[in-house]
Amino acid sequence: MPVNPIEWEEGKVKIIDQTKLPHKLDFLYIDRVEDLREAIRQMKIRGAPALGVAAAFGVVLGVKESKAKDMGSFQEEVKKVCGYLQSSRPTAKNLFWALDRMYRVVSEVDAGGNISPDELKQKLLREAFRIMNEDINCNKAIGENGSFLINDGDVILTHCNAGVLATAGYGTALSIIYKAKGEGKRVKVYVDETRPLLQGARLTAWELLREGIEVVLICDSMAGEVMREGKIDKVIVGADRVAANGDVANKIGTYSLAVLAKENEVPFYVACPLSTIDISIPLGERIPIEIRDKREVTFFCGKRCAPEGVKVYNPAFDITPSGYISAIITEKGICYPPYKQNLYKFFHRRK
Ligand code: MRU
C-alpha cells in the first residue's frame, strides 16, 4: 500500500487530509467526533469504505468522555452519536452499515447483564478495529477475484478514486489493478479527472503513480472519444451504494461512462465490498443522492470560474442502471446478471 489511509493512534483517528493531495501529504489527528464529522463533510476523508471505517472510530470518539453510569443511558448516547455521524453524508451505504454495527454492540447487550459503560467503550473500539480489518481483507479479496478478468496489456479506464485512499487499504477498483500488476500483467490506466472535486486527477493519478503504474489523465468529457478510438479494454469503477437489483450509485459521471462503454462494446465493471450493497433498497432510484455546495462548480482550484449569480446543480453521485453493468466484483466472487437473484445469493452466502 502506498500509504495508510486511516489508522487509530493513541486515542486519535489519523487520516490523510485528502483535500491537500497531490501537493502535500498531510496527516490529521482527530480526537473529537465533531471534527471527524466535519472532516467527512469536507471530504478530507472520502470514499465509501473509508467513510464506514472513519464513522466507526467516530463513535468511539463520541462516547469516550461519557459519564453514563448505567447501560440504558450509555446506549442512548451511542444512538445519538450514530445519528449525528449518519447526518454527515447520505449516499455511501458503508457509513450507515458501519454505524449499525457499532450501535448493535451496545443494543444487543443483555439489559440485565453485568457490563459497565467502560467495558462497552472497549467493545466499541474492538468493533471499529474489526470493521477496519475486515475492509482491508475484503478489498484484498476483491483484487484477487477481479484480477482474473484482467489480461496482460489491458488498458483500463477508471473514474473518481476507488483506491487505497477510499478504503482502509488496497482500494476496490484499484485493488484489481494492483493485484494484476503484482501477478506480472502489464496494465495501463486512463483516469478521468472527475470534476468537480478532481478525485481522479488529484488522488487516483497520485496513488497509481506512486505504485509505478502507467497513468494517462483525461478530462471527463474525453472518455467517449478515447473509447471510440479503441483505446480502452475495460472500465472499472467503485460504488457508493448498490441497490438490490444491481443499480449502482457512484461518483457523478459514472452513468455517462457506462452508457459510453455499452455503445463502444467495452465491458463495464463495478468493484465493491458487500458492505456497499443495500439489499433493503430495491431500485437505484431510491438511493439518496447527495447534493453539494454550488461553489464546488463555480470555483476551480480555489478560483472562480463562473459568473456570480449563476444557478448550479451539483449532485455528487449518479445512478447507473444495472443493465449497463457487465459484472459486480466483490470479496465473495464475481457477480453476473441477473443481479436481483445473484446479489441476494452473494449477500446471504456471507452469513
Ligand atoms: O465523493 P467521494 O469522493 O466520497 O466519492 C467516492 C466515490 O464515488 C467512489 O468511487 C466510491 O466511494 C467507491 S470507493 C472505493
Side-chain angles (χ1 to χ4, degrees):
M1 277 200 289
V3 279
N4 252 342
I6 179 161
E7 285 169 276
W8 177 260
E9 213 176 276
E10 292 172 13
K12 296 185 177 132
V13 183
K14 178 184 174 192
I15 59 165
I16 297 171
D17 182 349
Q18 297 192 25
T19 60
K20 301 263 171 69
L21 288 172
H23 310 292
K24 212 168 156 208
L25 180 57
D26 217 2
F27 292 91
L28 296 172
Y29 295 80
I30 300 176
D31 60 359
R32 286 173 6 109
V33 65
E34 293 81 4
D35 297 335
L36 186 91
R37 182 176 178 275
E38 205 42 37
I40 291 175
R41 277 171 41 77
Q42 292 179 14
M43 294 171 63
K44 293 179 177 187
I45 183 160
R46 29 69 49 208
L51 293 182
V53 176
F57 284 113
V59 174
V60 178
L61 295 180
V63 296
K64 72 172 178 195
E65 310 286 359
S66 166
K67 302 274 182 290
K69 294 264 182 305
D70 60 90
M71 197 137 72
S73 35
F74 188 72
Q75 281 169 340
E76 272 313 302
E77 282 183 34
V78 173
K79 193 175 186 177
K80 218 165 131 192
V81 170
C82 288
Y84 175 66
L85 287 164
Q86 275 175 355
S87 67
S88 55
R89 294 190 73 190
T91 305
K93 172 66 183 168
N94 308 62
L95 182 119
F96 299 86
W97 168 86
L99 290 170
D100 282 350
R101 273 185 62 166
M102 294 301 281
Y103 183 59
R104 246 181 282 140
V105 169
V106 295
S107 65
E108 286 179 358
V109 166
D110 175 13
N114 206 7
I115 181 161
S116 69
D118 277 346
E119 285 169 303
L120 283 177
K121 286 182 196 173
Q122 285 310 311
K123 269 178 165 276
L124 285 169
L125 183 60
R126 283 199 295 275
E127 184 69 352
F129 269 106
R130 255 195 301 273
I131 288 171
M132 180 167 77
N133 292 329
E134 280 175 26
D135 186 57
I136 294 170
N137 292 334
C138 285
N139 298 331
K140 189 162 182 256
I142 287 172
E144 282 156 9
N145 294 333
S147 71
F148 163 80
L149 298 166
I150 310 297
N151 298 316
D152 184 31
D154 265 357
V155 181
I156 294 155
L157 174 64
T158 192
H159 190 65
C160 193
N161 174 265
V164 171
L165 291 167
T167 62
Y170 292 98
T172 56
L174 298 196
S175 177
I176 295 168
I177 291 165
Y178 294 139
K179 179 67 182 165
K181 181 177 181 254
E183 288 169 347
K185 296 173 189 166
R186 284 161 302 160
V187 279
K188 174 168 158 181
V189 184
Y190 275 71
V191 175
D192 278 348
E193 64 176 355
T194 319
R195 265 291 272 161
L197 295 180
L198 303 177
Q199 289 94 327
R202 293 187 306 103
L203 310 177
T204 300
W206 179 82
E207 75 164 81
L208 287 174
L209 287 175
R210 279 173 67 110
E211 287 297 291
I213 288 172
E214 190 181 350
V215 178
V216 181
L217 180 63
I218 56 170
C219 298
D220 301 339
S221 50
M222 296 168 188
E225 177 58 16
V226 170
M227 283 193 231
R228 196 196 60 77
E229 288 174 11
K231 288 187 161 63
I232 306 297
D233 297 302
K234 273 141 203 155
V235 178
I236 312 181
V237 297
D240 281 82
R241 197 184 292 226
V242 179
N245 72 340
D247 293 349
V248 166
N250 191 47
K251 179 53 54 191
I252 193 76
T254 303
Y255 170 47
S256 324
L257 274 189
V259 174
L260 289 165
K262 187 161 202 170
E263 176 67 19
N264 289 282
E265 294 174 15
V266 175
F268 183 92
Y269 298 112
V270 172
C272 67
L274 294 185
S275 50
T276 304
I277 297 169
D278 191 344
I279 224 78
S280 75
I281 287 196
L283 305 168
E285 66 193 41
R286 306 256 184 97
I287 297 175
I289 299 290
E290 178 181 12
I291 307 295
R292 290 189 61 90
D293 195 295
K294 69 178 194 176
R295 278 170 300 192
E296 291 179 353
V297 179
T298 54
F299 283 74
F300 185 79
C301 296
K303 273 197 156 175
R304 175 169 279 284
C305 62
E308 296 264 12
V310 70
K311 282 187 187 158
V312 170
Y313 180 49
N314 183 19
F317 302 97
D318 60 25
I319 304 294
T320 300
S322 59
Y324 289 100
I325 299 166
S326 312
I328 300 176
I329 303 155
T330 76
E331 70 273 29
K332 292 287 175 206
I334 303 176
C335 183
Y336 292 98
Y339 293 116
K340 201 170 163 202
Q341 289 90 321
N342 292 343
L343 279 179
Y344 185 84
K345 281 189 211 148
F346 266 61
F347 202 80
H348 287 281
R349 200 187 288 175
R350 186 182 185 200
K351 288 172 183 159

